[in-house]
Amino acid sequence: MSLSGNLTAYRIMATIVGVLLVVLCLIGLPLHYGYWVSDAAWLAKGSGAGWQLGADISEYLGVAHGWLYMIFLLTAFLLSRKAAWPMPFTIITAVCGTIPLLSFWAEHRATKMTRVAIEASAA
């Protein structure tokens, strides 16, 4: 696969993992554990509709995010080797995939660095 193809695969996986992580952390987990801070009936543990939605998001999206994060790590690693990223840059990019919203910054940063490498190899 070309460097451009690796970059495309990385960007797709980074976007998917980032969106799932945002939904999981900013919607699923607050709904699932909202009963700790609220007495609202719709957040009642075991019976509230909000709690059930949060539990489902946490269960299914949590598992999906975990598996897709492994694919993201693989695509990031393959891209890092092909684009000759420094090891600290590679590690920071991989770790940022675990932090909501920061993953989008890391993807932008990695894309910018890789496009420089693509332009350099074309010249």
Side-chain angles (χ1 to χ4, degrees):
M1 186 182 290
S2 68
L3 183 55
S4 179
N6 280 84
L7 178 60
T8 301
Y10 165 78
R11 292 187 72 200
I12 289 169
M13 288 311 303
T15 301
I16 291 170
V17 167
V19 169
L20 288 180
L21 188 60
V22 166
V23 171
L24 178 64
C25 291
L26 300 181
I27 298 171
L29 294 177
L31 285 174
H32 191 191
Y33 296 105
Y35 68 91
W36 286 355
V37 295
S38 175
D39 291 333
W42 63 279
L43 286 176
K45 184 177 182 180
S47 63
W51 178 86
Q52 186 59 53
L53 177 62
D56 290 342
I57 289 172
S58 298
E59 181 179 354
Y60 299 114
L61 245 53
V63 170
H65 172 73
W67 283 103
L68 292 170
Y69 182 71
M70 294 300 125
I71 297 169
F72 163 77
L73 283 179
L74 179 64
T75 61
F77 177 76
L78 293 173
L79 178 62
S80 74
R81 296 304 92 209
K82 196 161 255 193
W85 293 351
M87 190 52 70
F89 186 88
T90 301
I91 292 168
I92 289 170
T93 300
V95 169
C96 284
T98 65
I99 303 167
L101 301 177
L102 195 56
S103 60
F104 298 110
W105 169 79
E107 182 271 329
H108 175 74
R109 184 173 157 248
T111 299
K112 193 162 124 178
M113 182 177 229
T114 305
R115 286 193 174 142
V116 169
I118 292 171
E119 290 172 5
S121 68

